[in-house]
Amino acid sequence: MYPPELVKPMREDLTSIGFQELHTESQVDEAIAQKGTTLVVVNSVCGCAAANARPAARMSLQNTKRPDHLVTVFAGVDKEATEKARDYMVPFPPSSPSMALFKDGELVHMLERHHIEGRPAEMIAENLTEAYNEFC
């Protein structure tokens, strides 16, 4: 577990743009079960989350079409919520950071760490906006 004061600004990178934090398994279940589209960001303390994933999430929301719901879990902090979110992302292996788009509870698009690490935020955002345009 990471100290709360360490992860606070990393959490705020997403909550300040409208993401709801999920801390429990039941919150994850409720979020995934919502009607419409839900973007789940598995946040992380790693450099690729700071340089690529969180900025990409922010950029992607400038698109005309965007998810109905924005939620996040924090790997290494919200252990139960993160594990539950990852259960919904099967068959993809656990990775952080990662991003998953659900439509009416069904996984329709997934970005794993290897899609994020080493790629510019703009490229990741473009990938997300293409998914929004298709599913939202």
XYZ file of all heavy atoms in Angstrom, residues 2 6-7 9-11 13-14 41-51 53-54 72-77 82 86 95-98 113 116:
254
model
N 0.415 2.225 -0.746
C 1.122 3.498 -0.822
C 0.506 4.478 0.165
O -0.703 4.453 0.402
C 1.034 4.068 -2.236
C 1.672 3.186 -3.266
C 0.902 2.392 -4.106
C 3.054 3.133 -3.396
C 1.490 1.571 -5.058
C 3.650 2.318 -4.348
C 2.866 1.548 -5.167
O 3.452 0.734 -6.108
N 0.981 10.383 -0.840
C 1.719 10.148 -2.087
C 0.773 10.044 -3.277
O 1.035 10.608 -4.338
C 2.559 8.871 -1.976
C 3.236 8.411 -3.269
C 4.426 9.315 -3.580
C 3.689 6.974 -3.151
N -0.329 9.334 -3.106
C -1.226 9.081 -4.237
C -2.294 10.161 -4.422
O -2.950 10.194 -5.468
C -1.890 7.686 -4.139
C -0.837 6.600 -4.145
C -2.779 7.568 -2.924
N -2.267 13.406 -5.251
C -2.264 14.152 -6.521
C -2.516 13.261 -7.740
O -3.072 13.714 -8.743
C -0.866 14.778 -6.578
C -0.059 14.111 -5.536
C -0.998 13.474 -4.558
N -2.140 11.993 -7.655
C -2.372 11.064 -8.763
C -3.860 10.737 -8.886
O -4.369 10.576 -9.996
C -1.555 9.797 -8.555
C -0.071 10.044 -8.541
S 0.821 8.565 -8.048
C 2.305 9.308 -7.386
N -4.531 10.623 -7.760
C -5.982 10.423 -7.759
C -6.666 11.655 -8.353
O -7.577 11.551 -9.168
C -6.502 10.201 -6.341
C -6.159 8.885 -5.708
C -6.777 8.867 -4.298
N -6.496 7.678 -3.541
C -7.167 6.535 -3.631
N -8.149 6.406 -4.477
N -6.849 5.510 -2.868
N -5.612 13.777 -10.426
C -5.466 13.907 -11.878
C -6.727 13.438 -12.590
O -7.098 13.970 -13.632
C -4.278 13.074 -12.395
C -2.963 13.808 -12.336
O -2.938 15.010 -12.049
O -1.936 13.148 -12.593
N -7.379 12.428 -12.043
C -8.591 11.887 -12.665
C -9.864 12.436 -12.027
O -10.809 12.785 -12.738
C -8.573 10.358 -12.618
C -7.463 9.700 -13.444
C -7.486 8.189 -13.271
C -7.563 10.069 -14.914
N -10.525 3.339 -15.505
C -9.082 3.532 -15.554
C -8.479 2.908 -14.300
O -8.862 3.260 -13.181
C -8.701 5.021 -15.632
C -7.186 5.200 -15.527
C -9.215 5.635 -16.917
N -7.572 1.950 -14.512
C -6.799 1.396 -13.400
C -5.586 2.306 -13.268
O -4.666 2.258 -14.081
C -6.389 -0.070 -13.653
C -5.558 -0.595 -12.488
C -7.630 -0.942 -13.870
N -5.623 3.153 -12.258
C -4.581 4.139 -12.024
C -3.388 3.477 -11.338
O -3.512 2.394 -10.756
C -5.142 5.268 -11.153
C -4.388 6.563 -11.285
O -3.325 6.638 -11.888
N -4.951 7.613 -10.705
N -2.248 4.146 -11.406
C -1.017 3.573 -10.876
C -0.040 4.686 -10.534
O -0.158 5.794 -11.047
C -0.421 2.645 -11.947
O 0.849 2.197 -11.583
N 0.942 4.366 -9.697
C 1.982 5.334 -9.350
C 3.106 5.350 -10.371
O 3.979 6.203 -10.312
C 2.585 5.087 -7.946
C 1.519 5.220 -6.874
C 3.266 3.749 -7.877
N 3.093 4.460 -11.322
C 4.215 4.344 -12.261
C 4.309 5.549 -13.192
O 3.351 6.293 -13.382
C 4.119 3.051 -13.062
S 2.831 3.067 -14.296
N 5.467 5.698 -13.774
C 5.720 6.814 -14.671
C 4.837 6.826 -15.897
O 4.457 7.892 -16.382
N 4.496 5.644 -16.426
C 3.672 5.633 -17.640
C 2.225 6.031 -17.338
O 1.515 6.487 -18.220
C 3.767 4.310 -18.389
S 3.173 2.871 -17.536
N 1.797 5.893 -16.090
C 0.473 6.407 -15.714
C 0.503 7.929 -15.706
O -0.415 8.584 -16.204
C 0.046 5.864 -14.358
N 1.588 8.485 -15.156
C 1.711 9.941 -15.059
C 1.923 10.599 -16.420
O 1.318 11.621 -16.728
C 2.860 10.296 -14.122
N 2.794 10.005 -17.232
C 3.166 10.630 -18.505
C 2.230 10.279 -19.647
O 2.125 11.045 -20.606
C 4.590 10.227 -18.878
N -0.960 7.578 -19.399
C -2.343 7.137 -19.178
C -3.265 8.261 -18.716
O -4.314 8.494 -19.326
C -2.371 5.982 -18.176
N -2.910 8.932 -17.634
C -3.796 9.985 -17.130
C -3.930 11.149 -18.117
O -5.070 11.602 -18.360
C -3.350 10.442 -15.741
C -3.536 9.341 -14.685
C -3.341 9.828 -13.264
N -2.042 10.371 -12.982
C -1.014 9.682 -12.465
N -1.144 8.396 -12.168
N 0.137 10.276 -12.220
N -12.586 5.091 -11.667
C -11.200 4.696 -11.523
C -10.982 3.900 -10.244
O -11.669 4.122 -9.241
C -10.270 5.943 -11.552
O -8.918 5.521 -11.453
C -10.588 6.915 -10.439
N -10.057 2.978 -10.330
C -9.554 2.246 -9.172
C -8.051 2.483 -9.152
O -7.451 2.769 -10.188
C -9.869 0.738 -9.226
C -11.372 0.502 -9.177
C -9.269 0.081 -10.461
N -7.436 2.370 -7.981
C -6.008 2.655 -7.869
C -5.277 1.389 -7.460
O -5.408 0.907 -6.348
C -5.758 3.775 -6.852
C -4.511 4.550 -7.136
C -4.579 5.870 -7.515
C -3.267 3.959 -7.028
C -3.434 6.600 -7.785
C -2.112 4.667 -7.302
C -2.197 5.993 -7.678
N -4.477 0.853 -8.395
C -3.693 -0.353 -8.126
C -2.689 -0.056 -7.009
O -2.074 1.002 -6.980
C -2.960 -0.801 -9.387
N -2.558 -1.002 -6.083
C -1.643 -0.826 -4.969
C -2.237 -0.026 -3.827
O -1.587 0.157 -2.801
N -3.457 0.457 -3.996
C -4.122 1.229 -2.949
C -5.490 0.616 -2.650
O -5.761 0.187 -1.549
C -4.263 2.714 -3.334
C -4.998 3.492 -2.249
C -2.893 3.332 -3.607
N -9.666 -2.920 -7.153
C -8.841 -3.171 -8.341
C -8.980 -4.615 -8.794
O -9.146 -4.888 -9.988
C -7.371 -2.823 -8.052
O -7.292 -1.447 -7.668
C -6.501 -3.056 -9.276
N -10.552 -5.869 -12.346
C -9.783 -6.748 -13.232
C -10.539 -8.029 -13.551
O -10.360 -8.593 -14.634
C -8.429 -7.052 -12.605
C -7.501 -5.855 -12.656
C -6.217 -6.117 -11.922
N -5.258 -5.032 -12.147
C -4.198 -4.825 -11.393
N -3.944 -5.622 -10.364
N -3.380 -3.828 -11.660
N -3.005 -5.576 -15.423
C -1.908 -4.650 -15.706
C -2.295 -3.261 -15.212
O -3.469 -2.915 -15.159
C -1.556 -4.626 -17.190
O -2.592 -4.097 -17.977
N -1.285 -2.499 -14.840
C -1.501 -1.130 -14.408
C -0.401 -0.274 -15.010
O 0.747 -0.654 -14.947
C -1.426 -0.950 -12.912
O -1.589 -2.100 -12.181
N -0.792 0.820 -15.550
C -2.166 1.274 -15.729
C -2.847 0.500 -16.851
O -2.189 -0.170 -17.637
C -1.985 2.744 -16.118
C -0.673 2.777 -16.822
C 0.175 1.745 -16.142
N -4.139 0.601 -16.879
C -4.919 0.050 -17.976
C -6.236 0.811 -18.051
O -6.599 1.526 -17.118
C -5.160 -1.460 -17.793
O -5.863 -1.716 -16.612
N -1.334 -2.234 -20.225
C -0.110 -1.469 -19.983
C 0.781 -1.416 -21.223
O 1.327 -0.373 -21.556
C 0.659 -2.048 -18.803
C 1.939 -1.282 -18.510
C 2.765 -1.962 -17.410
N 3.989 -1.230 -17.202
C 4.209 -0.391 -16.208
N 3.270 -0.168 -15.318
N 5.366 0.236 -16.098
N 0.092 1.273 -23.454
C 0.256 2.599 -22.847
C 1.730 2.964 -22.694
O 2.157 4.051 -23.081
C -0.476 2.648 -21.487
C -1.986 2.465 -21.701
C -0.150 3.935 -20.734
C -2.786 2.216 -20.447
